[in-house]
PDB file of all heavy atoms in Angstrom:
ATOM      1  N   TYR A 116     -11.833 -17.543 -56.559  1.00  0.00           N
ATOM      2  CA  TYR A 116     -12.889 -17.265 -57.540  1.00  0.00           C
ATOM      3  C   TYR A 116     -14.186 -17.999 -57.019  1.00  0.00           C
ATOM      4  O   TYR A 116     -14.093 -19.280 -56.836  1.00  0.00           O
ATOM      5  CB  TYR A 116     -12.495 -17.591 -58.884  1.00  0.00           C
ATOM      6  CG  TYR A 116     -11.490 -16.633 -59.504  1.00  0.00           C
ATOM      7  CD1 TYR A 116     -10.011 -16.659 -59.102  1.00  0.00           C
ATOM      8  CD2 TYR A 116     -11.896 -15.465 -60.212  1.00  0.00           C
ATOM      9  CE1 TYR A 116      -9.167 -15.631 -59.668  1.00  0.00           C
ATOM     10  CE2 TYR A 116     -10.996 -14.560 -60.732  1.00  0.00           C
ATOM     11  CZ  TYR A 116      -9.669 -14.714 -60.475  1.00  0.00           C
ATOM     12  OH  TYR A 116      -8.752 -13.794 -60.910  1.00  0.00           O
ATOM     13  N   VAL A 117     -15.297 -17.332 -56.971  1.00  0.00           N
ATOM     14  CA  VAL A 117     -16.557 -17.940 -56.537  1.00  0.00           C
ATOM     15  C   VAL A 117     -17.575 -17.744 -57.551  1.00  0.00           C
ATOM     16  O   VAL A 117     -17.606 -16.704 -58.416  1.00  0.00           O
ATOM     17  CB  VAL A 117     -16.958 -17.476 -55.215  1.00  0.00           C
ATOM     18  CG1 VAL A 117     -15.909 -17.667 -54.011  1.00  0.00           C
ATOM     19  CG2 VAL A 117     -17.235 -15.886 -55.188  1.00  0.00           C
ATOM     20  N   VAL A 118     -18.697 -18.680 -57.539  1.00  0.00           N
ATOM     21  CA  VAL A 118     -19.766 -18.426 -58.375  1.00  0.00           C
ATOM     22  C   VAL A 118     -20.806 -17.829 -57.544  1.00  0.00           C
ATOM     23  O   VAL A 118     -21.121 -18.331 -56.381  1.00  0.00           O
ATOM     24  CB  VAL A 118     -20.155 -19.811 -58.917  1.00  0.00           C
ATOM     25  CG1 VAL A 118     -21.443 -19.689 -59.776  1.00  0.00           C
ATOM     26  CG2 VAL A 118     -19.130 -20.614 -59.729  1.00  0.00           C
ATOM     27  N   VAL A 119     -21.535 -16.827 -58.097  1.00  0.00           N
ATOM     28  CA  VAL A 119     -22.624 -16.212 -57.389  1.00  0.00           C
ATOM     29  C   VAL A 119     -23.952 -16.432 -58.160  1.00  0.00           C
ATOM     30  O   VAL A 119     -24.013 -16.190 -59.273  1.00  0.00           O
ATOM     31  CB  VAL A 119     -22.384 -14.704 -57.224  1.00  0.00           C
ATOM     32  CG1 VAL A 119     -23.596 -14.092 -56.631  1.00  0.00           C
ATOM     33  CG2 VAL A 119     -21.127 -14.367 -56.570  1.00  0.00           C
ATOM     34  N   ASN A 120     -24.899 -17.053 -57.465  1.00  0.00           N
ATOM     35  CA  ASN A 120     -26.129 -17.309 -57.962  1.00  0.00           C
ATOM     36  C   ASN A 120     -27.119 -16.193 -57.739  1.00  0.00           C
ATOM     37  O   ASN A 120     -27.410 -15.772 -56.594  1.00  0.00           O
ATOM     38  CB  ASN A 120     -26.730 -18.631 -57.325  1.00  0.00           C
ATOM     39  CG  ASN A 120     -28.218 -18.885 -57.862  1.00  0.00           C
ATOM     40  OD1 ASN A 120     -28.621 -18.310 -58.731  1.00  0.00           O
ATOM     41  ND2 ASN A 120     -28.681 -19.845 -57.067  1.00  0.00           N
ATOM     42  N   LYS A 121     -27.627 -15.494 -58.764  1.00  0.00           N
ATOM     43  CA  LYS A 121     -28.506 -14.369 -58.625  1.00  0.00           C
ATOM     44  C   LYS A 121     -29.898 -14.597 -58.534  1.00  0.00           C
ATOM     45  O   LYS A 121     -30.685 -13.684 -58.521  1.00  0.00           O
ATOM     46  CB  LYS A 121     -28.159 -13.438 -59.853  1.00  0.00           C
ATOM     47  CG  LYS A 121     -26.728 -12.811 -59.955  1.00  0.00           C
ATOM     48  CD  LYS A 121     -26.381 -11.902 -58.853  1.00  0.00           C
ATOM     49  CE  LYS A 121     -24.998 -11.342 -59.009  1.00  0.00           C
ATOM     50  NZ  LYS A 121     -24.890 -10.310 -59.969  1.00  0.00           N
ATOM     51  N   THR A 122     -30.244 -15.893 -58.589  1.00  0.00           N
ATOM     52  CA  THR A 122     -31.745 -16.255 -58.567  1.00  0.00           C
ATOM     53  C   THR A 122     -32.115 -17.075 -57.347  1.00  0.00           C
ATOM     54  O   THR A 122     -33.084 -17.792 -57.192  1.00  0.00           O
ATOM     55  CB  THR A 122     -32.019 -17.157 -59.795  1.00  0.00           C
ATOM     56  OG1 THR A 122     -31.287 -18.387 -59.783  1.00  0.00           O
ATOM     57  CG2 THR A 122     -31.756 -16.332 -61.056  1.00  0.00           C
ATOM     58  N   ALA A 123     -31.240 -16.964 -56.290  1.00  0.00           N
ATOM     59  CA  ALA A 123     -31.510 -17.896 -54.994  1.00  0.00           C
ATOM     60  C   ALA A 123     -32.705 -17.248 -54.358  1.00  0.00           C
ATOM     61  O   ALA A 123     -33.452 -18.185 -53.768  1.00  0.00           O
ATOM     62  CB  ALA A 123     -30.382 -17.731 -54.119  1.00  0.00           C
ATOM     63  N   PHE A 124     -33.075 -16.100 -54.348  1.00  0.00           N
ATOM     64  CA  PHE A 124     -34.176 -15.633 -53.633  1.00  0.00           C
ATOM     65  C   PHE A 124     -34.922 -14.392 -54.160  1.00  0.00           C
ATOM     66  O   PHE A 124     -35.813 -13.830 -53.687  1.00  0.00           O
ATOM     67  CB  PHE A 124     -33.819 -15.149 -52.188  1.00  0.00           C
ATOM     68  CG  PHE A 124     -32.512 -14.360 -52.068  1.00  0.00           C
ATOM     69  CD1 PHE A 124     -32.684 -13.069 -52.268  1.00  0.00           C
ATOM     70  CD2 PHE A 124     -31.381 -14.939 -51.880  1.00  0.00           C
ATOM     71  CE1 PHE A 124     -31.547 -12.116 -52.169  1.00  0.00           C
ATOM     72  CE2 PHE A 124     -30.177 -14.207 -51.664  1.00  0.00           C
ATOM     73  CZ  PHE A 124     -30.361 -12.788 -51.879  1.00  0.00           C
TER      74      PHE A 124
END
Side-chain angles (χ1 to χ4, degrees):
Y116 284 83
V117 301
V118 180
V119 176
N120 177 12
K121 300 293 183 76
T122 61
F124 49 80

